[in-house]
């Protein structure tokens, strides 16, 4: 997301409008931004804690949005709305259903 500072208020409003639309449609589950002021921790299986992250996620910043949708096609449509409002590409992932959760 590479947006001039003067455009941030309009991008923020557009993004929030899509979230309000998702809430009104009853598909919004939760979402949020990554707090860049708090460093990530890596907790190993043995309980060891280190101040690091997975190498492939060092560049990850921003946030996420979880929607409950009826199809992949619907997910693509919502991701497109979010991408347009945020003026940046969105990565689409699907949660694998776990009957224990």
């Amino acid at each position: 997301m590479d947006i001039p500072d003067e455009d941030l208020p309009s991008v923020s409003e557009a993004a929030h409008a899509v979230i309000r639309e998702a809430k009104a449609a009853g598909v919004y589950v939760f979402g949020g931004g990554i707090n860049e002021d708090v460093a990530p921790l890596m907790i190993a299986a043995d309980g060891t804690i280190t101040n690091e992250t997975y190498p492939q996620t060092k560049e990850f910043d921003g946030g996420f949005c979880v929607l409950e949708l009826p199809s992949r096609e619907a997910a693509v449509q919502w991701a497109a709305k979010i991408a347009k409002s945020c003026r940046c590409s969105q990565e689409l992932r699907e949660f694998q259903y776990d009957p224990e959760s």
Side-chain angles (χ1 to χ4, degrees), residues 27-101:
V27 299
Y28 182 84
V29 178
F30 68 93
I34 301 299
N35 186 345
E36 295 178 17
D37 295 332
V38 179
L41 297 176
M42 184 71 71
I43 294 72
D46 66 1
T48 303
I49 301 170
T50 54
N51 290 319
E52 61 182 337
T53 187
Y54 292 111
Q56 65 271 29
T57 63
K58 286 186 186 243
E59 296 299 318
F60 181 79
D61 62 358
F64 60 93
C65 179
V66 177
L67 304 177
E68 186 171 353
L69 299 163
S71 67
R72 186 160 182 84
E73 292 77 24
V76 169
Q77 291 173 352
W78 278 101
K81 288 181 185 187
I82 294 169
K84 183 177 180 180
S85 71
C86 292
R87 300 184 195 173
C88 63
S89 298
Q90 300 294 303
E91 181 178 3
L92 178 61
R93 295 287 187 123
E94 184 175 328
F95 279 105
Q96 182 175 342
Y97 176 71
D98 179 357
E100 295 286 329
S101 64

